């Protein structure tokens, strides 16, 4: 399968390159960027000897002629125009931006700018691989989930679907490494100010909130709005969500771990941790795993769910390739069997 | 006033040295450690030219003869024996360990070892400076608060006292820098494993939980148990607590900020941030400030409270000196007017 | 003494604020920036309650009327125009930029743009406090040294002056924290790319090279060109220079330490470490110290000199205030007695 | 080929696991540690689902019966006894410790304890893969190089062999991430003291010095002693050596880059950077590359050589597997084609 990447020089794009370079079935056909013609090694010297090819300008027609699958790792607001070009020509598209994840009205409310045309976003399948596998398989257009929603939804799915929780009790305290903010420069993501620091941002206003709520509602129509806080960690890669829910009835930690193990039994990238142990961010670095730990507190009747992912892998490029595998009827894990880098 | 420090070589002790060295009224009389006789510069070369004195062994009688105030920066389980020696001789004692903060039964339940004799812990005043100032003033023995309780309690006090919140809704998501774990070596606090990582620990089991609940109950007898999670941040200094509470009735963020400003109006170390802005950990580094930001979410009726402190300052040595100032009828801020180090 | 700062919002400017705020004799009269009228707390919220004053636009005439001393913490290329305004009115000026440190020809060769008019730079005294104290005392205009030159020159002065080294053998391997690059944004100083990294830059081409060589030549006219490499450390503050020189004759480490101790005996900010110990960057953090360690290798006849400073203190704002103290006949250490923050 | 690892729970051992798990020809037969029987996931939870096998105690006879190749990732002082067991049974051994790299006299002088019996160390081939490939191919026992020597020697080899440098002019300024110090706990490698710091250690006394000199002398018998300084970087992985040599005659940077490119032309893991660009540590993270940049300074006649490696890969486990590939007549790069993780 010939794949092309648009928006290659962002961190999502460059992580796609790392994965696809080592993928047994996908062949990188061409890479594109608004930078136009330059060797990728000029932007990313770590590719010397590995990827001695040039970036090309974004010419959708040319790309369509060359590719079986196109990954869009473009900033918010760009995908709309590109997508229609490709779906008309029956080319599979996986969009890593947030542009196709919400209906138009919701999008505008939270992203504060116009959405793509509803005729496009309606065609997109939400690519939460573990939960929408059948729809992904039959789709030509994937709205690849955001990093925060991926960790949050994988954490909350089993208890939400099983109806075990007070539907208005969800609090998600999320922490992300700086690469999640992308490569564009800002004072908050400069080293001197992000290092030896922890910063909170977009409290209750993050554009990933409606994406989380929309999926939760599909699982359980009673779910109310969620409280969601995002923190900027002084690390490059990695994300943790600490989710809190009120249990309707008493359940021991052990029982809930059993539930999660059953639910995720057939899903190789989800690892449920044994009782009294919890995952750390570094334990999934560079890999496509989402590790989950649980603790039900009998004092408060509240369940604490800790999930960690590599925001550039399971939170972006890794899940995108997982979805591409599913769309192509390949093994879901193909080319994604990276062992976490530790320490 | 002549002050002595016992347990000088831990991070709490060495931060006391930094403060007291520059304090206009307190004179460091002697410094003590189980290490016995060694120059402090051997353990901490950053004191060259500044503190060319020796550590001494811990001889309570000798210390009592020399000192007006004694700071105990000793590990858990040590203070009990030392305290009685000093209070009998009318020497002011400020204990930075957790040993005097809880009644015996609670202590044993959460610390998993024997407490000091109740006759001692009963004499201790809980040294949350902003809230217990009058009792501190009249006390000879202070149980200096833990770092997590300090940030949590300063965050929750105004709404708890005012009865604005559902008393069973409190969730505290706390994050601490590594120095909070002290100087003793462990794999989790080694650089190779703490760096580029975020680790959760003691979920719902941290020994600071009863300390928080006990004080909340004094402010509002209806408060239920709290959900409390601690995370180890890859930073040396600094702590953030993100607290979540359900509001009984609708209040705007602006109204709540006004409430907090009024409550903390006379308290120079508490800084309430303007609406739509939130404090970062680095913005209090090296200082005794506790900065607080608020956001009330009309969608969920939940209030999010962000507080940051330097865990070694307001979370330990800084508050200890603040309490010593209060006990001596000095200006509360004396010797504590450090400008945060930024960046 | 009334002092004003121009270029307040850079990291050098904000460090001047931290120092001057706590200085017993200097009073911050006004602070200026190209940003014009905004509260300093908008740019730097860590100043809440401490500095509730506004930035003002840069109006040299107004500033001159108000101030006894002006600190210029402006980017390269700006000082020239401002300086003449002030020196004509007999106002003391301390310029933290590199603009006044070199004669015009050298400046243009290394900075790659035009220098200030030679009539101005000729008036400036090079403010290496420990070595040019007498000239600084009598001067109205100080070219405050760069961070790299400060550490390098303090390291090399004793052996260079004493003629103990092969004059063509000097190699300086320098490492700086990211704040040294200033607040302007760049990919290399973004967190995601500077963290967990070490980057070399401007190999043999750094504009601080002629500044170092010029001063070395004043101490010893035989000194040849130096080899100088700069590395970007994944830390915010701090700098280390590891300097290598060939000794003309055998000297033991102990003998050389004695020499350094004698030379720096009267200089409170220079701390020579005992044999077999070496300073770390963190051991001077937040302070104005320059700590030096030495090792003479009998196998190679080469001397290794390690020096550490806080690049924003002794490498910039700290030395600037030290020079202001000297110019005003105050105690050199006034307002600069910060204990290093450790850990 | 069945491989076993002894000393699995150190950072070298765990990196071997990461590589070997993904190697197409080597099968991990058994893993051993002084810890005895425990699941590897207890020590390293990032292996959940990937390596659900147990550590076993170190029983050389049992290991010998099971294995074609044994990797020793044991601490200094242990290999000697183990090696004889294996070489007698014709099992290939790759020793990652320093025990077999030096003749007995040199070893004792620098390591300060007894060496293995000379009859053993004499049998070992120094496994600098790029330079000793032929001997490695025919050997049963490899002394795998240290991390510092690998970067230093790959940097210096071309100019040393070509006789282009003053043989007494070599200065190596080396910087290593904390994982290089291993998993054993120490104050210097604790997070609170290593973070936001740079520390120098073992100045001119590091045990890797004789290993470097011995190999340089094999390339050029005139080479004198080297000056060698080691710094502890606040990063987990990665190493940079900045080497300085005096050129006998003038050579342009371009000419020297050509020389290096020719020399390393057939060596896939060595990447010579184009003129005016230099490698950063992060650009080889997680990979087996050694990237080299050069700058010849016409002012001083000195050549600066910058080399970066991942200390756990090319500096330890990666080169060990590269050597195992060579010993087995496999493609040198087999199982080692990791793309660097960036950012």
């Amino acid at each position: 399968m010939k794949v092309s990447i648009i928006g290659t020089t962002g961190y999502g794009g460059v992580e796609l390159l790392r994965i696809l370079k080592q993928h047994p079935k996908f062949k990188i056909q061409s890479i594109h960027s608004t930078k136009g013609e330059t060797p990728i090694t000029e932007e990313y010297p770590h590719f010397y000897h590995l990827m001695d090819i040039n970036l090309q300008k974004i010419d959708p027609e040319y790309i369509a002629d060359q590719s079986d699958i196109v990954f869009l790792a473009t900033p918010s607001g760009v995908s709309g125009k590109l997508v229609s070009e490709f779906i008309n020509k029956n080319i599979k598209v996986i969009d890593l931006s947030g542009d196709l994840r919400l209906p138009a009205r919701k999008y505008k409310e939270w992203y504060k700018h116009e959405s793509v045309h509803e005729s496009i976003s309606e065609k997109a399948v939400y690519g939460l691989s573990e939960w929408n596998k059948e729809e992904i398989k039959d789709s030509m257009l994937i709205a690849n989930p955001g990093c925060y929603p991926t960790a949050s939804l994988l954490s909350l799915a089993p208890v939400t679907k099983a109806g075990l929780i007070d539907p208005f009790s969800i609090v998600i305290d999320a922490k992300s490494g700086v690469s999640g903010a992308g490569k564009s420069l800002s004072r908050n993501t400069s080293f001197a100010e992000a290092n030896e620091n922890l910063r909170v941002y977009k409290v209750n206003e993050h554009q990933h909130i409606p994406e989380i709520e929309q999926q939760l509602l599909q699982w359980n129509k009673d779910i109310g709005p969620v409280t969601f806080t995002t923190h900027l960690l002084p690390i490059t890669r990695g994300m943790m969500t600490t989710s809190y829910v009120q249990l309707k009835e008493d359940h021991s930690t052990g029982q809930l771990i059993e539930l999660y193990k059953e639910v995720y039994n057939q899903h190789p990238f989800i690892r449920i941790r044994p009782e009294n142990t919890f995952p750390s961010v570094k334990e999934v670095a560079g890999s496509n795993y989402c590790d989950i730990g649980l603790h039900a507190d009998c004092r408060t009747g509240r369940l604490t769910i800790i999930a960690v992912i590599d925001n550039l892998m399971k939170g972006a490029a890794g899940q995108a390739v997982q979805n591409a595998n599913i769309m192509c009827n390949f093994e879901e894990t193909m080319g994604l069997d990276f062992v976490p880098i530790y320490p």
Side-chain angles (χ1 to χ4, degrees), chain A:
Chain A
M1 304 288 289
K2 292 175 291 177
V3 304
S4 296
I5 303 170
I6 303 181
T8 316
T9 58
Y11 294 148
V14 82
E15 187 75 347
L16 279 170
L17 282 183
R18 183 174 77 94
I19 302 170
L20 294 170
K21 165 73 193 168
Q22 306 176 63
H23 195 283
K25 289 284 180 68
F26 295 134
K27 185 187 162 297
I28 301 168
Q29 185 66 18
S30 61
I31 58 178
H32 304 269
S33 160
T34 49
K35 295 210 185 287
E37 288 284 333
T38 35
I40 182 68
T41 49
E42 207 165 275
E43 277 291 304
Y44 287 104
H46 71 282
F47 282 127
Y48 272 114
H49 289 202
L50 283 164
M51 299 270 304
D52 287 340
I53 65 171
N54 274 17
L55 291 162
Q56 299 176 46
K57 67 178 173 14
I58 303 174
D59 174 348
E61 202 168 333
Y62 169 86
I63 298 171
D65 287 349
Q66 299 259 323
S67 319
D68 301 310
I69 308 182
V70 173
F71 291 94
L72 300 178
T74 40
S76 181
V78 177
S79 308
K81 295 143 225 156
L82 292 166
V83 163
S84 41
E85 189 87 29
F86 299 127
I87 51 180
N88 290 337
K89 297 192 172 168
N90 236 18
I91 289 158
K92 294 180 170 66
V93 176
I94 298 167
D95 178 32
L96 281 79
S97 87
D99 284 8
L100 308 178
R101 298 182 201 147
L102 296 176
R105 197 186 47 78
K106 277 278 176 193
Y107 184 91
K108 201 174 161 185
E109 182 187 339
W110 289 87
Y111 281 78
K112 318 287 183 200
H113 59 246
E114 282 303 320
S115 77
V116 306
H117 197 278
E118 202 119 23
S119 68
I120 292 171
S121 58
E122 273 168 359
K123 289 202 181 74
V125 164
Y126 187 61
L128 190 65
S129 316
E130 278 72 19
W131 289 98
N132 294 344
K133 198 165 173 178
E134 291 312 310
E135 296 93 319
I136 294 165
K137 200 174 281 181
D138 299 334
S139 167
M140 294 300 287
L141 179 58
I142 300 293
N144 209 58
C147 45
Y148 286 123
T150 296
S152 303
L153 291 168
L154 292 171
S155 295
L156 292 167
V159 282
T160 302
K161 283 183 73 107
L164 301 186
I165 61 171
D166 171 349
F168 283 80
S169 70
I170 301 174
V171 171
I172 304 167
D173 191 281
K175 300 96 175 168
S176 174
V178 177
S179 65
K183 211 178 74 168
S184 60
L185 301 175
S186 77
R187 188 173 158 196
N188 284 352
T189 59
S190 72
F191 185 88
E193 309 218 7
N195 182 46
E196 192 69 6
N197 203 356
L198 181 70
R199 186 180 293 278
V200 77
Y201 66 104
K202 292 191 186 173
V203 178
N204 291 319
E205 288 173 356
H206 198 284
Q207 69 276 12
H208 285 170
I209 292 176
E211 184 182 334
I212 294 169
E213 291 178 349
Q214 159 179 286
Q215 180 63 54
L216 290 174
L217 281 167
Q218 290 201 9
W219 290 330
N220 183 329
K221 67 176 175 31
D222 298 327
I223 291 295
V226 304
T227 290
F228 184 71
T229 315
T230 43
H231 302 77
L232 190 66
L233 288 174
I235 66 176
T236 297
R237 274 174 187 252
M239 166 170 289
M240 181 185 282
T241 54
T242 312
S243 302
Y244 301 93
V245 291
Q246 194 72 38
L247 293 167
K248 281 186 188 160
E249 291 172 30
D250 272 5
H251 295 277
S252 70
T253 301
Q255 287 169 331
L256 292 162
I257 286 176
E258 277 317 301
L259 169 66
Y260 274 67
K261 281 192 168 167
E262 271 168 50
V263 166
Y264 287 121
N265 192 25
Q266 300 304 316
H267 296 286
F269 290 125
I270 315 297
R271 304 189 295 191
I272 309 303
R273 291 301 180 84
E275 195 163 349
N276 292 322
T277 68
F278 300 94
S280 294
V281 159
K282 209 187 194 34
E283 288 163 4
V284 296
S287 83
N288 201 47
Y289 289 109
C290 174
D291 285 13
I292 297 177
L294 300 160
H295 190 266
D297 185 13
C298 56
R299 297 170 68 250
T300 60
R302 216 172 263 124
L303 171 65
T304 304
I305 312 164
I306 287 105
V308 298
I309 58 172
D310 181 326
N311 59 302
L312 294 178
M313 287 292 293
K314 185 63 182 169
Q319 185 157 237
V321 173
Q322 188 180 355
N323 286 330
N325 284 337
I326 295 172
M327 292 166 94
C328 296
N329 268 308
F330 298 156
E331 194 64 42
E332 194 175 356
T333 54
M334 185 178 282
L336 287 169
D337 48 356
F338 297 96
V339 178
I341 299 241
Y342 195 96

